[in-house]
Structures are given as structure tokens and as C-alpha cells.
Amino acid sequence: MLRLQRTKLGGLGLSLFRGLHHKPVMAVRREDVNAWERRAPLAPRHVKGITNLGYKVLIQPSNRRAIHDKEYVKAGGILQEDISEACLILGVKRPPEDKLMPKKTYAFFSHTIKAQEANMGLLDEILKQEIRLIDYEKMVDHRGIRVVAFGQWAGVAGMINILHGMGLRLLALGHHTPFMHIGMAHNYRNSSQAVQAVRDAGYEISLGLMPKSIGPLTFVFTGTGNVSKGAQEIFNELPCEYVEPHELKEVSQTGDLRKVYGTVLSRHHHLVRKTDGIYDPVDYDKYPEHYISRFNTDIAPYTSCFINGIYWETNTPRLLTRQDAESLLAPGKSPIVGVEGCPTLPHKLVAICDISADTGGSIEFMTECTTIEHPFCMYDADQHIIHDRKYNGVDIWKSWFTAKVSYSQIKRVASLSVEGSGILMCSIDNLPAQLPIEATEYFGDMLYPYVEEMILSDATQPLESQNFSPVVRDAVIASNGTLADKYKYIQKLRESRERAQSFSMATKKKVLVLGTGYVSEPVLEYLSRDANIEITVGSDIKNQIELLGKKYNINPVIMEIGKQEEKLGSLVAKQDLVISLLPYVLHPFVAKACITNRVNMITASYITPALKELEKSVEDAGITVIGELGLDPGLDHMLAMETIDKAKEVGATIESYISYCGGLPAPEHSDNPLRYKFSWSPVGVLMNIMQPATYLLNGKVVNVAGGVSFLDAVTPMDYYPGLNLEGYPNRDSTKYAEIYGISSAHTLLRGTLRYKGYAKALNGFVKLGLINRDAFPALQSEAKPLTWKELLCDLVGVSRSSKHDVLKEAVCKKLGGDNTQMAAVEQLGLLGNEQVPRAESVVDALSKHLAMKLSYGPGEKDMIVMRDSFGIRHPSGHLENKTIDLVVYGDVRGFSAMAKTVGLPTAMAAKMLLDGEIQAKGLIGPFTKEIYRPILERIKAEGIIYTTQSTISS
């Protein structure tokens, strides 16, 4: 415990006091902000020191105060209700506005320095009554470090609480742990008793009594101040080992169960610049908005309990967002095998203790503080619901105190606060009140050296005339009816906020998203993170747009985009940006509306010849149209250009470039004849094999015809052998020699990946004439209904009345007797009596049929696999063989892998264009550093991680 620094008292003060005709008086007011506030700004021994100097100290009586009134009386304090005699009134928390007394000096935590809206009424009343307000939060030394604070005890209490909460949460998940013997901090007479309980739990952990199936527990601390240090003091009573952040992954999987692991996180561990992935502390202090946090990908997935001790400032990166929580809570593959009675954890992250209690801050989904009486709640990321203390819409604890609910209901809600799906949250905003005596002693020791000069403050005199030390003077927020010069910014903040609220709607950036297919939702989710973006969604599919409207704040517009040119034009004219997620044939139609109205446009699809024809018009309009921003095309371009540009920077040349990419079902869900399921446009997928392809191999141009002969170009892939992949060339790869600037390459191939057997099955469909885009009148709306059996009869040239065996024989003959292809046709019901969907063409009908048969079911995941291979010749003559691998799985409770990897880069480019990060004009792709570098950096924060590997040969 710190000693009283009496030497700072009594010098200047006594000399001034001797010249006064009356004795200055100070008062310690009663805390009345809530039932748990039992602290005081000074302990009895501090009061004794002040009275020994000749000052009169009034103590407002309180049975709630943890230190008994009689102890203050013994120390020389005078117990009385009326404290109007005092010139200085000390408290911990804010007093009620109606109890303020004019022209006094008050000291307390006002929470006004950020122009907090909830406390502006209090500040107005302080100014009106010409009160001198000293805010403890702004009492800092010459280094800007706070000299008066409760922070350490917030950390101590918070850590005790979350260990108790971990015990309850793990029990709810089926595990008794030593943490069950640790109680809430306020249940102990003092911290020494709590420390002993933690030590006892630690002893049991060291004996190996933690359940094996939950794996090693890891604790991550943010912040290096007193809050974090206080939490670590309690953690250190456990058998713990501190590791570096990069070691978390390993110890979280293979660590010793007889200990717990901790890591202390600093900025450089998780903050990186968006453009180059580097952390520069000087640059960060100037431009924090240029940085992102990798906490969600590099730290959080390996964290059992996260203890946050830092505040979030606007424009700085958040540690965790709502989307991060969805990813972190998705069921993962545990290296530990659980059995009935000994289950594994549903996900690694069990609990978060936000000691900062900064709502909507660095932890975005922490939107409401918990309380001492109800310390825990469960955050359900899937539904963004906080399961808390409400029972049938009633605040259970408030109603308990007024006898409106039963004890059984109290018990029910108490159990709900640690049960169910999600993360256990603890975010109490008055933690030191749980250890009130020690917190009071600690705070009083820091405040005591400054009390005398505060007593001598005369609020009726100008602030400039007061003989304050810099610590006290700079903490004066208001005096004589005005804000102190240092805090006049508060009024500007208020005015700025009011202006922002008034004009927010008028200044919002307007974005039109066209299409409501697979990719639209991650685009909407990403753009919705910016409250300054107003989103309109246009689609002709009413039920889809209605579903999106329930999840996101959008303006829905029902329209047939390809048939309502005038409506589209008037809608586009009101926007700052248009994002087209429509079938590629509609992009030129949308682009023409953007050109006419001079509105920028983004699309994930290829820049087709039809779009290319509009290039001059785009340039003349002075707008930006960016295409090929998805996965393939999109991320494949960006990863290629990053490698190519880096090679050129060191004088190297690209000798070969081969890129294969595919969207696939996760292996366990590939159980159908195509080994494929649809999370993308079925028509586009089917027609892909009909397109001719061209590529460069060892200096020779190879042409591949589409259709039946495309099977000849399919080759087995030797990487990821467990996936049993095959690949085939896609479109014209040779043109990328010019686009990528790699004319030196002797091999240039871009292709598609599928599971082995896919190409052969589709080759059978080609033979039967099922992949044909020509108009087919018998399937159109005015024709009679047709079954698949009847359609196949027509296609293979037998009578519609033919028996099944006759049709089967004809189909088999058409397939050249290939039993594998025949089995695919039968298993997909193409010889049966199911009605063929109405469509313009046979392939459109097949597409609708396969979309129903081969769609993803509940709990099924997709994946994307991309492999880029480069041959890089360095000036030394050495050949570098470099590979880039990108494997992403879909989230069962979130977005598919395809939707994420197409939608998020598209949305990021849209945001960059809106924010002015992209300045280029014309029809462009993501081939420049201006575009690809920020996107490749930002996708990492969304869990889209790629790896690289190189080998060097002479």
C-alpha cells in the first residue's frame, strides 16, 4: 500500500490558511449513483491527515459506504447531512443534477471530456451554476499518465469475475473445473481472500485436474496500463506461462494441461497498414484509419479468454467485429476427440472480459454493459442477440427488488446468462466497487497529495487567480460559468455531433446493388458496417429482396432490370456507385445507364467483349468501371500481380504462370454424380465447358475446342492429393501475357479445378445435347408440360412413348456405352417422369433442375481451392518456383466460401472507390497496386488467408 505523501501537504496551504479569517471546509459526499457504489474518494486515514492540517472535513452519512461512518468520525471528520458549508465537495461518481450547489468546487469522474451525450445535461447544469469542476480522469503528470485512478482494482476485480464466469460457462458446457471454487470479487472481504481462492484453483490445475477434452486454456490481455497489470496480478496466481502471440496457436493445441497460458498484446502484434501489411508506430499515431487489426485471424482463434483493457478511439481499428464473432463461433476441427460425457468445446473462444466497458468500442458487439448483480450474458453471433437478464421482456433484477418476479424466475435467468450458444461476456463498468475498501485506500493515496490545493480553491474567483499545480489546473473542466480553455473543444464536439446528426442523411453515400444472388449478402454486410452508406437493392426476385430487407437496412426496389431501361436509368442517376451482381449478359445494359448518368460501376464478372466495346464511352464520361473483382476472376489477378510486380522490382522475369481455381463442395459433401454442388450460377458453370480455351505451353499456343472434345484437355492435379482433383483450361489464357506484363513467359495457363469425375459426367450431358443454349420452344411457357423422360426421348431420337429400357439403351448408345456417364444421367433423374422446369433453352432447364438436386443442404459447407504457380528467373540466374495456395471453407452459420471470396473483394473495391482510395478512371481491372494491395491486406482480416512457398534451383 502506498504511504501518505504528507510532505506535499501543509506548506503553501498552512501559510495561506493562517491568513484566512475562517476555516476552509471540504466535504465527502454520499455516493448515490447505484446500489453497488460503496467507494469513497478518501479513506479515514486521509481524512485524518487533512484535519491534522487544520481543515474541517464534512462526511455525508451513508450506510452503503463500505468504510463505516464512525471510522471517518474517529479520524476527525464531522458527520452531517448538510454539506453546503464546504467549498470543495469530493465524490467518486457524478452527483444528481438537482443536488448540485452553485459556486462550489466539485471533483469526481464526470465522463464529459468526450462530449458524452448522456452527461451533457450535467455539464450544462455545472456551467449554469458556475461550479468549478475538477475531473480525476484528467489529472495527469508531465508525461500524460494519469496520477489518480482506480484502474488497477478494475483489473483485479475483472479477472476474478471472469475466472468465476469461466467456471460457470465450462460447467454449462459439461465440464467441472477448479474455477468453480472462485466466486465473484465482491463475495470476498478483501482481495487477499480472493487471491487465496485463485491459488487453490491453481493448485488443482497443477495436479492435472482440468478436463482433457477442453484442451489447454489461453488468456490474452490487451493494454499495458494499470488495468491490464491488475488483471495479470490475479492471473499470475495460477500456474501460468506467458508466451509470445505467435506461439498461441501451438500452445492452444499441444500445451500442458497442468498450467494455463497467457500473452500480453501490444499494437505491433496485430496492427498493420492496409497497403503494405507493416506497422509503423509514428505513422499509426498520425493516421490510425490507414491500419487494420489482425487480432481476429492471428490471435482470437487461439484464445480461450480475452481480457480487454483498452479503449477504442474513432478511426482506429476494432479488435473484433460482429462478422469476426460469426467466424470465431463456427464449429471448428478440434485436435482433441470428445466422447459422450467428455465433450470438446464448440469453439475455442469461451469468454470475453471487457474491463474497459467501452460499449460499441474495440469489441463491436459489446453494445451494453453488464452489472455487478448480473455480471454475465451470452452473445449469440449467429443472430446478433445478447441473452441477458430479461425475462419475458422485463428487467428481472429490477423487478426482483420490487417483488414483481419470483425467485424461480431469477434462477432461470441466472442459468440462461451462462448457457446456450455463443461467447460469455462480462463488461461491468464499476468493477472497483466490488473491492471498495482497498479501491478507496488505493485511490485516496493517489488523490491525497493534491487535496489541499483543491480545498483552497475559491470557485467565485477567476481560475487564473488560483495557485494550482499543473496536475490540478489541467484537470479543471469548467469554472466561472465557462469551459476551461483546454476543454472548449467539448462544445465544438457537441456542435459537430449535432450537425452530423442533422445532415447525416443528406451526406450519405448512395450505393445501388443490383442482384440478390449468392454473392449479394456479403457485399451488403460489408458495406453496412459504414453507417454513412445508404444502400438500395434492385432485383426481380421479391422473396429474396424481402429476406435481405429483414437483415440489412436497405431500400428495396422490385424491377426487371433488363426490361425496364427508363426505371433503371432514373435509379442509377441518384447513386454514387452501382454494383452489378447480375448475370454477365446484363452488365453492358447496366454500364450504359452508368455512362449516361456519369455514375461509377463495380462488378465481379469478366470484362467481356460487350463491356470492352463501351471502353471509350466510359472514358468520355469520366467515370470508373472496375470489373473482375471476385475470386476467379479477381483474387487470382491480384495474387498474380503482387508476385509479378515484386519480381520486377528485383529485376527478375516471369518464365511461367499457371493458375487453377475451383469452387467445390467440402469433401464430405461431394457425394453425387458430379461431385459438385451449386453455390454459383448453374448456367455459367455448365456453359463454361462449351467455351473454347487457349493457353501457352513451353512457347507453343495450344487451342482447346469446347463441347465434347474438352474432356481431352482435362488433367489430374498432383497437389492436395487427398482431394483427388482434376483441372481443365479456361478461356483465353494467352491474353494475360499483355495484361500482366509477362511477355517473357513461355507457359501461361489459367484453369478450373473440380473433383475427379466431374468432367466426365458433364461430357455425357454434352453428348446428349443437354448443354445447349439455343431456344427450345417445347420448354417455353406456352408449351405443354414435358417430363425429363420425354425430353431425353426427343434428344436421342426415339418416340416419347418408348419404354424405359428402350430409352435407356438409346441414351447409353449416345454416350458410347460409358457406364459412369449413364449412371450420372440416371441418378440425377433425367430418365424419370419429373416435369422439366419451364425455360428458354435446354441448358437453362437443366440448370434449374440441378440447382434443386445439387444445392447445399443444412449444415453443408463449400470450399474454394486456388493454386498459383510461378517460374521466376532472377538476375543471378537462379530459378524460383513459387506457389500461392488459397483454401477457404464456407461457414455453416455464415457465408459460403464462394460468396465470401467473390463478394468481399467486390465490396472492398466499392468502399475504396467511395472513399477516394481509387483514383483511376476508365474501364479497368484489379491489376494495379492501388487496387490489389489494400484488398489483399483487408481480406486477411476477414479470414481469407493465402500461403506462399518458394524453392530455388540453379
Side-chain angles (χ1 to χ4, degrees):
M1 195 63 68
L2 297 175
R3 298 175 184 170
L4 294 181
Q5 301 179 48
R6 293 177 185 272
T7 55
K8 290 191 178 182
L9 291 174
L12 172 66
L14 282 176
S15 62
L16 288 174
F17 171 61
R18 293 189 186 101
L20 297 173
H21 297 293
H22 65 279
K23 186 181 293 186
V25 179
M26 67 159 280
V28 176
R29 66 174 296 273
R30 175 173 55 246
E31 298 298 323
D32 42 20
V33 66
N34 67 52
W36 286 95
E37 192 48 79
R38 299 174 291 156
R39 293 173 289 176
L42 298 172
R45 59 192 181 85
H46 304 120
V47 169
K48 184 175 182 179
I50 295 166
T51 56
N52 285 345
L53 292 173
Y55 299 108
K56 184 177 180 180
V57 179
L58 305 179
I59 306 294
Q60 205 169 36
S62 174
N63 286 347
R64 185 179 290 150
R65 196 180 289 123
I67 301 176
H68 200 281
D69 286 346
K70 69 180 182 181
E71 299 299 324
Y72 285 98
V73 174
K74 283 182 185 178
I78 300 170
L79 195 67
Q80 67 180 54
E81 179 66 26
D82 183 7
I83 57 173
S84 59
E85 182 185 357
C87 57
L88 170 67
I89 300 172
L90 298 181
V92 176
K93 294 290 190 176
R94 56 167 286 172
E97 292 168 27
D98 59 358
K99 292 187 178 179
L100 290 171
M101 290 179 280
K103 298 186 178 179
K104 304 283 186 184
T105 298
Y106 279 82
F108 56 87
F109 289 104
S110 73
H111 301 296
T112 59
I113 59 173
K114 295 181 184 177
Q116 291 96 317
E117 200 165 359
N119 295 319
M120 289 301 95
L122 171 70
L123 184 59
D124 287 339
E125 192 63 26
I126 285 170
L127 293 171
K128 179 181 177 182
Q129 298 203 34
E130 299 184 25
I131 289 168
R132 178 168 292 155
L133 169 61
I134 300 172
D135 194 320
Y136 302 133
E137 191 173 353
K138 298 306 294 181
M139 294 180 70
V140 298
D141 62 17
H142 65 282
R143 297 166 298 171
I145 297 173
R146 290 175 61 183
V147 297
V148 180
F150 285 103
Q152 179 179 338
W153 290 98
V156 169
M159 193 67 208
I160 296 168
N161 292 342
I162 201 61
L163 292 177
H164 168 69
M166 287 280 285
L168 295 176
R169 177 57 179 159
L170 290 171
L171 184 65
L173 292 172
H175 311 279
H176 171 80
T177 65
F179 299 131
M180 282 299 297
H181 305 307
I182 301 173
M184 289 289 290
H186 61 266
N187 289 337
Y188 299 101
R189 184 180 298 275
N190 53 47
S191 63
S192 297
Q193 288 188 354
V195 165
Q196 188 56 54
V198 175
R199 286 175 179 168
D200 291 344
Y203 177 67
E204 292 188 30
I205 292 172
S206 69
L207 294 177
L209 298 182
M210 288 293 287
K212 292 182 180 179
S213 61
I214 68 175
L217 295 183
T218 54
F219 293 74
V220 172
F221 301 85
T222 54
T224 55
N226 288 330
V227 169
S228 185
K229 289 175 182 175
Q232 290 171 55
E233 281 184 16
I234 297 300
F235 179 72
N236 292 342
E237 301 297 337
L238 297 170
C240 62
E241 178 184 340
Y242 283 91
V243 297
E244 289 298 311
H246 70 269
E247 298 174 306
L248 268 183
K249 182 177 181 179
E250 182 178 351
V251 299
S252 72
Q253 297 171 350
T254 62
D256 189 345
L257 291 175
R258 294 169 298 177
K259 63 175 72 171
V260 292
Y261 295 89
T263 192
V264 181
L265 205 65
S266 296
R267 287 177 176 178
H268 69 275
H269 290 129
H270 67 102
L271 291 174
V272 294
R273 195 157 41 213
K274 295 175 184 177
T275 53
D276 56 14
I278 294 172
Y279 174 68
D280 180 337
V282 176
D283 183 64
Y284 177 78
D285 286 338
K286 291 181 180 178
Y287 309 107
E289 68 277 9
H290 293 173
Y291 287 73
I292 59 171
S293 171
R294 286 185 179 165
F295 181 84
N296 65 324
T297 56
D298 295 358
I299 309 295
Y302 317 112
T303 302
S304 305
C305 181
F306 170 35
I307 300 94
N308 183 41
I310 59 173
Y311 286 95
W312 179 72
E313 296 288 343
T314 305
N315 296 328
T316 61
R318 284 188 165 94
L319 291 170
L320 288 174
T321 66
R322 295 174 182 176
Q323 184 69 22
D324 295 335
E326 289 183 17
S327 299
L328 291 169
L329 297 191
K333 293 183 179 179
S334 172
I336 302 164
V337 178
V339 297
E340 188 174 359
C342 303
T344 57
L345 296 176
H347 39 75
K348 185 66 179 178
L349 185 58
V350 176
I352 294 176
C353 182
D354 190 357
I355 300 176
S356 74
D358 188 15
T359 56
S362 54
I363 303 171
E364 183 185 30
F365 48 87
M366 202 288 282
T367 56
E368 185 178 352
C369 291
T370 56
T371 61
I372 294 175
E373 64 265 27
H374 194 71
F376 306 114
C377 64
M378 294 298 300
Y379 174 66
D380 185 343
D382 191 28
Q383 302 180 50
H384 182 52
I385 293 174
I386 296 177
H387 301 290
D388 56 9
R389 60 179 185 243
K390 297 291 180 69
Y391 183 88
N392 290 338
V394 176
D395 187 316
I396 198 79
W397 296 100
K398 290 181 180 178
S399 299
W400 166 247
F401 289 125
T402 55
K404 291 181 181 178
V405 295
S406 67
Y407 179 65
S408 63
Q409 291 171 331
I410 287 282
K411 290 203 299 182
R412 171 64 177 151
V413 171
S415 68
L416 283 174
S417 65
V418 297
E419 292 180 354
S421 301
I423 307 170
L424 183 79
M425 303 286 293
C426 181
S427 51
I428 300 168
D429 64 357
N430 58 336
L431 285 165
Q434 290 185 272
L435 297 166
I437 295 177
E438 288 162 295
T440 295
E441 295 275 1
Y442 176 82
F443 187 84
D445 283 343
M446 291 189 288
L447 179 62
Y448 181 76
Y450 305 100
V451 170
E452 185 177 25
E453 60 181 292
M454 293 163 66
I455 294 175
L456 298 174
S457 167
D458 184 352
T460 65
Q461 298 301 310
L463 179 60
E464 298 77 18
S465 68
Q466 305 297 291
N467 193 15
F468 287 145
S469 66
V471 171
V472 174
R473 183 188 65 242
D474 290 345
V476 176
I477 305 293
S479 182
N480 310 101
T482 62
L483 291 169
D485 288 345
K486 189 176 179 181
Y487 299 100
K488 290 192 184 299
Y489 72 86
I490 294 176
Q491 183 58 33
K492 293 179 181 177
L493 278 180
R494 293 178 72 177
E495 292 169 357
S496 176
R497 183 177 60 228
E498 289 165 3
R499 281 196 304 270
Q501 290 171 348
S502 300
F503 298 107
S504 62
M505 290 304 295
T507 58
K508 280 190 173 183
K509 295 170 183 175
K510 295 178 171 61
V511 175
L512 173 62
V513 177
L514 296 174
T516 52
Y518 298 107
V519 175
S520 61
E521 192 166 348
V523 171
L524 296 178
E525 190 281 326
Y526 189 87
L527 294 179
S528 295
R529 300 177 195 177
D530 187 342
N532 201 39
I533 295 178
E534 181 182 337
I535 305 171
T536 300
V537 177
S539 174
D540 61 351
I541 305 176
K542 185 177 180 183
N543 65 326
Q544 288 184 355
I545 206 168
E546 287 175 349
L547 285 173
L548 291 173
K550 291 176 181 178
K551 296 186 72 173
Y552 304 101
N553 184 21
I554 61 172
N555 304 316
V557 177
I558 305 295
M559 60 182 300
E560 290 190 64
I561 294 159
K563 298 179 180 179
Q564 295 180 283
E565 184 176 356
E566 189 175 335
K567 184 173 183 179
L568 176 65
S570 63
L571 193 58
V572 167
K574 301 172 185 175
Q575 311 302 319
D576 296 299
L577 175 67
V578 175
I579 303 174
S580 180
L581 304 176
L582 301 165
Y584 71 91
V585 294
L586 290 175
H587 293 325
F589 185 78
V590 176
K592 288 175 183 177
C594 291
I595 291 166
T596 300
N597 294 284
R598 299 181 184 276
V599 174
N600 294 332
M601 176 181 161
I602 291 272
T603 177
S605 302
Y606 278 105
I607 298 175
T608 60
L611 261 182
K612 194 72 174 172
E613 288 177 4
L614 301 174
E615 185 169 17
K616 180 67 166 57
S617 299
V618 170
E619 292 173 359
D620 292 343
I623 64 172
T624 304
V625 176
I626 313 178
E628 308 194 10
L629 283 166
L631 169 66
D632 177 5
L635 290 179
D636 56 347
H637 293 327
M638 301 181 211
L639 291 170
M641 289 308 304
E642 181 180 50
T643 296
I644 291 165
D645 285 344
K646 285 182 178 179
K648 290 179 177 179
E649 286 171 7
V650 297
T653 58
I654 304 297
E655 292 193 349
S656 64
Y657 167 65
I658 300 173
S659 176
Y660 279 99
C661 180
L664 305 163
E668 63 270 31
H669 304 309
S670 61
D671 52 347
N672 65 65
L674 295 187
R675 284 77 164 166
Y676 191 80
K677 291 191 176 181
F678 292 97
S679 65
W680 194 239
S681 169
V683 174
V685 171
L686 297 174
M687 290 303 298
N688 190 32
I689 65 168
M690 302 300 291
Q691 305 295 326
T694 305
Y695 61 94
L696 188 66
L697 181 63
N698 296 322
K700 294 182 179 180
V701 175
V702 180
N703 293 302
V704 177
V708 176
S709 61
F710 100 100
L711 189 59
D712 298 332
V714 176
T715 56
M717 296 290 108
D718 58 357
Y719 48 86
Y720 298 121
L723 294 180
N724 201 12
L725 299 171
E726 63 185 22
Y728 54 88
N730 187 12
R731 305 194 185 216
D732 182 7
S733 299
T734 61
K735 66 180 183 182
Y736 290 98
E738 181 181 351
I739 293 172
Y740 289 173
I742 51 173
S743 57
S744 56
H746 59 66
T747 295
L748 216 170
L749 189 157
R750 288 163 46 86
T752 299
L753 288 176
R754 294 288 184 261
Y755 288 124
K756 190 174 181 180
Y758 168 88
K760 191 171 187 179
L762 254 64
N763 183 256
F765 294 167
V766 175
K767 292 176 183 177
L768 294 173
L770 287 167
I771 305 183
N772 188 328
R773 200 102 199 232
D774 294 341
F776 200 86
L779 294 178
Q780 294 171 5
S781 56
E782 61 274 7
K784 290 172 58 177
L786 199 64
T787 67
W788 279 108
K789 177 194 170 187
E790 291 169 334
L791 176 59
L792 263 292
C793 286
D794 289 351
L795 293 176
V796 299
V798 299
S799 170
R800 289 185 181 181
S801 61
S802 298
K803 290 184 178 181
H804 180 78
D805 290 346
V806 174
L807 172 60
K808 184 175 178 181
E809 183 179 349
V811 170
C812 190
K813 184 178 180 181
K814 194 84 169 176
L815 295 175
D818 192 303
N819 292 329
T820 302
Q821 293 177 340
M822 187 70 216
V825 171
E826 287 191 287
Q827 290 175 37
L828 291 170
L830 300 180
L831 302 184
N833 292 316
E834 187 175 340
Q835 186 173 318
V836 182
R838 298 290 189 183
E840 292 293 317
S841 67
V842 174
V843 73
D844 288 323
L846 179 64
S847 173
K848 292 179 180 180
H849 181 72
L850 293 180
M852 291 185 288
K853 293 282 186 182
L854 303 182
S855 61
Y856 286 88
E860 293 186 340
K861 296 186 295 185
D862 72 327
M863 67 183 294
I864 66 99
V865 180
M866 182 189 293
R867 162 67 70 93
D868 284 355
S869 303
F870 300 85
I872 305 171
R873 183 70 66 182
H874 286 270
S876 63
H878 291 89
L879 179 67
E880 177 186 357
N881 293 300
K882 180 176 182 178
T883 59
I884 302 176
D885 289 311
L886 175 64
V887 180
V888 180
Y889 282 86
D891 298 325
V892 173
R893 301 194 300 174
F895 303 131
S896 70
M898 183 62 75
K900 281 192 294 187
T901 53
V902 174
L904 289 173
T906 302
M908 289 170 183
K911 184 76 163 55
M912 290 165 64
L913 198 52
L914 288 170
D915 293 345
E917 288 186 69
I918 298 174
Q919 294 292 322
K921 300 294 182 184
L923 178 62
I924 58 176
F927 306 113
T928 62
K929 296 175 185 178
E930 177 191 31
I931 300 175
Y932 72 69
R933 273 190 176 173
I935 293 176
L936 290 179
E937 195 58 47
R938 290 168 198 180
I939 61 170
K940 296 174 186 176
E942 306 296 331
I944 301 174
I945 309 296
Y946 57 90
T947 59
T948 63
Q949 186 173 345
S950 290
T951 59
I952 305 293
S953 59
S954 57

